[in-house]
Amino acid sequence: MRTWMCLICGWIYDEEAGLPEEGIAPGTLWEDVPPNWVCPECGARKEDFEMIEV
Ligand SMILES: [Zn+2]
C-alpha cells in the first residue's frame, strides 16, 4: 500500500485507509480512485498529488 500527498495543502491519502466518508473503500489503490475525485481539503485534482515514502 502506498501513500499520496496533496502538493497544495499537504493532505494525505492512504491507500490502506481509503476514504470511507467519500465512498472510497479501505484498500482502494490510487489508480482506482475516480479521476474526478478532488482533495477533500483544498479541491486539488489527482494530478496535484505525489506519492510519498512512509
Ligand atoms: Zn489538498
Side-chain angles (χ1 to χ4, degrees), residues 6-11 39-44 49:
C6 176
L7 296 176
I8 310 296
C9 74
W11 186 87
C39 175
E41 285 292 323
C42 73
F49 280 70

Side-chain angles (χ1 to χ4, degrees), residues 7-9 14 16-18 23 30 41 46 50:
L7 296 176
I8 310 296
C9 74
D14 182 350
E16 192 167 5
W30 184 245
E41 285 292 323
K46 283 182 70 181
E50 193 167 76

Side-chain angles (χ1 to χ4, degrees), residues 1-36:
M1 296 272 105
R2 296 161 301 169
T3 305
W4 299 77
M5 184 177 73
C6 176
L7 296 176
I8 310 296
C9 74
W11 186 87
I12 288 174
Y13 175 76
D14 182 350
E15 292 180 338
E16 192 167 5
L19 196 58
E21 56 269 37
E22 293 205 9
I24 300 174
T28 299
L29 298 180
W30 184 245
E31 293 79 23
D32 295 329
V33 172
N36 62 348

